[in-house]
Amino acid sequence: MVGVQSCDRDGRCGVGMAGTGAGGDDDGALLQRIAQSDADAFDALYDRYSGAVYSVTRGMLQDPQAAQEVTQDVFLGIWRGAHAFDAERGSPRAWILSLAHHKSVDLLRRSRHTIVPLSETIVDDADVVAETLRKVEGVRVQRALSSLTIEQRTALVLAYYGGYTQREIAQRTGTPLGTIKTRMRDGLLRLRAVLEPEMQEIGP
Amino acid sequence: MTHAEAQELMAAYVLNALEPHEARVLDAHLAECDDCRRELEQLREVGATLASGFPQAAPPPALREALLATVRPPAARRRLVTVGLAIVAVGMLTGAMILLAQRMYRFLPTEFDEQTRLLALLAGLVVIGVVVAVMTRLLRLVDEATAARLQRGGAAGAPSSSLWLVVGAVVIVLLGAQVLLVQRQNDALSGQLDQQGRLLALLVSPESTTVPLTGPVRGSVRLVYNTQAHEGVLSATGLAMPKSGSVYQLWLLGGPKPESAAIFLTGPQGTMITVLGADFARYHAVAVTVEPGPRGSPQPTTKPVLIGSFPPGKA
């Protein structure tokens, strides 16, 4: 069984798995127990996901101290907000990683407004994308991204790894917002098409 | 937000690339749109794959300790507080029930024997138990209705735990029982006060006549009566109890046959006081015999142990 903790260097982390680890309960059951203040379930969920969450926060923020704080914030958010998890909107794993990404992006945006706007330090779009992509190490993700058009890739990379809003990206690239929306959507669907066979391959 | 607009924003939503207010509007649409939730579910998995592109690393162990320390103590403390409160509540309820049982027992008519009174007490407690169960059920219904209304109103509301409902029901029943007991005691006390007032008036009235009773038994016994009020008081001090199973019986003499006026026993130090109602003008003497208990006899079966004659002038 491919556990989340055993992600390899390509970032193959058992995508699409329910995450039934040694603890017995699946992730959904753990979240239900956490919603009822079950500290043991929280303990088990932390062991399962702390690595994945910390990898996201550290990757996004490029700062171990800030990454730790956000990771702590993410898990406290899970402890207090587990009842808000809705299985109809995605797997527990996708929800947790989205939470980690969201909180990292929040911090990134706050510090960006208070320190130096990234848009003023790096002038060229291609540079920004290249710079941002240095955060990404997984060969599988890199390969999937390379299957996109340059425009789609720019929009997705700036949004997800750069932490920019669709409006900021439209502004930066001098592209109409509607076009950015379309590129993001097409890019994600394309990624899904590329990744899906792999997901099923390593899925349960 | 139209469905088409929602579909347009879904990708940015998954990438966390929406402004906060846009995300909120989409959230609201998602709550109502099954199709959108299905699509979100799939796109989120792609988002999770993007998340796996970062170099993998483990957080320092100290973070785990810090988080678990935040999470565990409150839960443990909560459990402790709950158990503590439950113990206190059960203790208080037990105490209250014992007090109530004692008061009920004291209130039972003394002419019943010990066993009957205990059975009556037990029956009373069973009735109280049934009432508590019914009250708990009613409170549960009210509580659930309130919780449901709160939830519809948007506020969080959950039915309370059964323990608190039972405590609430018991408190209500105990308070009700207490009010009833106090009411009855009050009635009884005012009746007693009334009687004592009449008794005092009788004893001090110049119209009253005092007749000492004498005979073979030791003790000071006398009858005070008032012919106008048709009332009398028989009192005794230092009068020994009759032999076990027997009672004293007071007879009024004057008619064709002795008439039973009272049956009595004596208390500590041989004291006794009892109120009589009779037309004393019709009699010329009283006598006390020892008769089989507890109901005495229709006519005297033994020789009088005490006799008192009324003064001729007053009769």
Side-chain angles (χ1 to χ4, degrees):
Chain A
M1 179 155 294
V2 185
V4 174
Q5 294 292 295
S6 58
C7 290
D8 62 22
R9 299 292 287 175
D10 290 348
R12 287 173 181 273
C13 289
V15 178
M17 281 188 34
T20 312
D25 278 343
D26 70 23
D27 293 343
L30 282 185
L31 284 176
Q32 274 181 5
R33 285 168 55 197
I34 292 169
Q36 282 151 19
S37 301
D38 182 336
D40 291 332
F42 182 78
D43 198 358
L45 194 86
Y46 182 84
D47 285 346
R48 233 173 255 180
Y49 284 110
S50 58
V53 168
Y54 181 68
S55 300
V56 170
T57 58
R58 204 189 62 159
M60 286 298 293
L61 300 167
Q62 300 288 306
D63 172 356
Q65 186 56 41
Q68 273 182 51
E69 281 162 20
V70 174
T71 300
Q72 181 160 7
D73 203 22
V74 167
F75 278 98
L76 285 179
I78 293 171
W79 175 247
R80 293 182 191 125
H83 56 83
F85 168 70
D86 178 359
E88 281 190 14
R89 299 186 182 193
S91 67
R93 177 174 179 274
W95 181 67
I96 292 167
L97 293 180
S98 173
L99 204 59
H101 181 254
H102 195 169
K103 288 200 185 282
S104 306
V105 166
D106 273 354
L107 183 63
L108 216 52
R109 286 183 193 152
R110 276 203 304 275
S111 56
R112 217 176 261 158
H113 287 306
T114 51
I115 309 171
V116 187
L118 195 64
S119 52
E120 288 172 18
T121 58
I122 300 169
V123 188
D124 191 73
D125 280 345
D127 285 352
V128 181
V129 175
E131 182 69 19
T132 308
L133 267 179
R134 289 217 329 240
K135 293 175 172 179
V136 182
E137 204 181 55
V139 172
R140 178 161 152 269
V141 174
Q142 295 237 6
R143 203 169 52 218
L145 286 173
S146 69
S147 72
L148 305 177
T149 67
I150 292 173
E151 291 80 9
Q152 289 168 351
R153 187 162 61 235
T154 303
L156 280 194
V157 166
L158 286 180
Y160 193 86
Y161 295 109
Y164 294 96
T165 66
Q166 56 176 9
R167 241 166 256 284
E168 288 171 324
I169 296 169
Q171 239 164 21
R172 273 202 54 73
T173 56
T175 315
L177 182 59
T179 310
I180 294 295
K181 287 179 181 172
T182 312
R183 285 176 187 171
M184 282 184 175
R185 183 173 177 76
D186 291 350
L188 266 193
L189 292 176
R190 169 92 191 129
L191 275 186
R192 193 176 91 192
V194 172
L195 291 166
E196 205 153 57
E198 297 181 35
M199 289 181 192
Q200 275 159 6
E201 206 173 287
I202 57 173
Chain B
M1 172 175 284
T2 66
H3 183 66
E5 284 169 335
Q7 293 274 311
E8 256 193 345
L9 291 180
M10 200 79 78
Y13 183 79
V14 168
L15 298 167
N16 291 315
L18 290 179
E19 309 287 341
H21 67 272
E22 293 171 318
R24 271 197 298 277
V25 176
L26 184 57
D27 257 334
H29 178 78
L30 279 166
E32 292 164 0
C33 179
D34 290 344
D35 286 345
C36 290
R37 282 200 300 273
R38 252 191 303 281
E39 181 162 353
L40 176 65
E41 185 188 353
Q42 294 185 336
L43 291 183
R44 267 205 174 149
E45 291 305 327
V46 183
T49 307
L50 290 176
S52 71
F54 294 110
Q56 297 300 300
L63 185 60
R64 181 176 195 275
E65 302 312 316
L67 268 170
L68 290 181
T70 321
V71 161
R72 279 191 194 279
R77 219 179 302 142
R78 251 201 315 279
R79 204 168 306 130
L80 205 67
V81 168
T82 307
V83 170
L85 280 178
I87 290 172
V88 170
V90 168
M92 282 173 66
L93 288 182
T94 312
M97 289 302 279
I98 290 173
L99 280 179
L100 182 69
Q102 274 182 343
R103 300 187 66 151
M104 280 171 61
Y105 185 77
R106 253 187 259 140
F107 216 79
L108 290 168
T110 42
E111 55 258 34
F112 296 136
D113 59 23
E114 185 89 348
Q115 204 181 352
T116 316
R117 291 170 77 188
L118 282 176
L119 276 176
L121 183 63
L122 205 66
L125 289 179
V126 168
V127 168
I128 286 176
V130 170
V131 175
V132 165
V134 171
M135 288 295 302
T136 306
R137 183 78 204 124
L138 284 177
L139 285 177
R140 157 77 62 201
L141 290 178
V142 171
D143 188 44
E144 277 170 1
T146 314
R149 208 176 54 233
L150 282 175
Q151 262 156 10
R152 269 202 303 279
S160 321
S161 77
S162 308
L163 175 72
W164 299 122
L165 289 176
V166 174
V167 169
V170 170
V171 167
I172 289 174
V173 171
L174 284 182
L175 284 178
Q178 183 72 12
V179 167
L180 281 178
L181 275 177
V182 167
Q183 186 70 47
R184 284 201 56 185
Q185 273 180 335
N186 202 15
D187 289 351
L189 277 176
S190 59
Q192 275 178 19
L193 266 178
D194 202 35
Q195 202 188 24
Q196 281 182 2
R198 290 214 322 273
L199 215 142
L200 262 177
L202 187 69
L203 288 174
V204 301
S205 163
E207 311 288 313
S208 296
T209 311
T210 302
V211 177
L213 278 73
T214 53
V217 294
R218 214 157 48 83
S220 162
V221 181
R222 58 188 191 135
L223 173 71
V224 179
Y225 67 89
N226 184 316
T227 48
Q228 261 96 57
H230 290 203
E231 259 184 335
V233 179
L234 183 72
S235 62
T237 53
L239 178 64
M241 284 281 276
K243 66 176 192 291
S244 175
S246 306
V247 292
Y248 289 119
Q249 192 160 5
L250 179 76
W251 306 94
L252 295 166
L253 309 176
K257 283 176 171 180
E259 293 170 34
S260 175
I263 291 167
F264 61 91
L265 292 168
T266 52
Q269 276 102 50
T271 56
M272 187 281 306
I273 187 160
T274 189
V275 178
L276 312 167
D279 180 5
F280 288 94
R282 288 176 46 225
Y283 305 100
H284 58 77
V286 288
V288 172
T289 60
V290 175
E291 300 293 337
R295 291 165 171 278
S297 308
Q299 283 296 304
T301 58
T302 56
K303 283 209 159 110
V305 290
L306 292 163
I307 294 180
S309 299
F310 295 177
K314 294 262 182 176

